[in-house]
Amino acid sequence: VQLVESGGGLVQAGGSLTLSCTISGFPFDDLAMGWFRQAPGKEREGISAINTSDGRRDYAASVKERFTIRSDTAKKTVYLQMNNLKPEDTAVYYCGATITLSVMYFIHSGGEGMDWWGKGTLVTVSS
């Protein structure tokens, strides 16, 4: 099973980026998939997750109203649309997927319980 992320980069504050995470080697059914991020010197933070079957979503308070997560079953891909980016959003963003945790526990898990991880993609927001 592989998770492949893309879409990171450098953007000015107030700008937008869309991250994508594609899973291969496993059915896109009833997974909780989403995103964590880790900035230098900080702990890993769960920021958003979605159930790939019923579409339930969850967001961290720090990104709610600015980030939107969605999934595309045909492409087996989860997207994170990030708007109004702030310098404090600068981090490496990691995609995770789990068949054991529900969406409601995903972002609070600290990453424990993920079955698969992507390698990460760097998002840098300049002020």
Side-chain angles (χ1 to χ4, degrees):
V1 179
Q2 280 192 318
L3 299 181
V4 178
E5 303 128 327
S6 63
L10 173 64
V11 64
Q12 288 188 330
S16 299
L17 283 174
T18 300
L19 305 182
S20 65
C21 175
T22 301
I23 188 169
S24 61
F26 198 84
F28 200 66
D29 293 328
D30 207 23
L31 295 172
M33 284 183 66
W35 299 89
F36 295 84
R37 67 185 180 186
Q38 189 163 21
K42 294 190 175 181
E43 292 187 353
R44 183 165 52 200
E45 176 190 16
I47 58 172
S48 187
I50 187 169
N51 182 284
T52 58
S53 290
D54 63 22
R56 285 177 299 156
R57 297 166 172 82
D58 196 18
Y59 297 93
S62 58
V63 305
K64 210 168 186 177
E65 309 299 336
R66 299 189 297 123
F67 290 10
T68 302
I69 193 168
R70 64 179 180 91
S71 63
D72 184 325
T73 299
K75 296 182 178 180
K76 298 180 71 175
T77 298
V78 170
Y79 301 92
L80 186 69
Q81 173 70 42
M82 305 185 294
N83 296 328
N84 190 21
L85 283 160
K86 304 175 181 181
E88 51 264 42
D89 294 317
T90 295
V92 178
Y93 285 68
Y94 297 93
C95 179
T98 174
I99 57 174
T100 53
L101 290 182
S102 75
V103 167
M104 295 303 119
Y105 289 101
F106 187 105
I107 65 170
H108 306 291
S109 70
E112 295 293 325
M114 292 301 111
D115 293 295
W116 304 286
W117 287 99
K119 293 182 178 180
T121 185
L122 177 63
V123 172
T124 304
V125 185
S126 63
S127 57

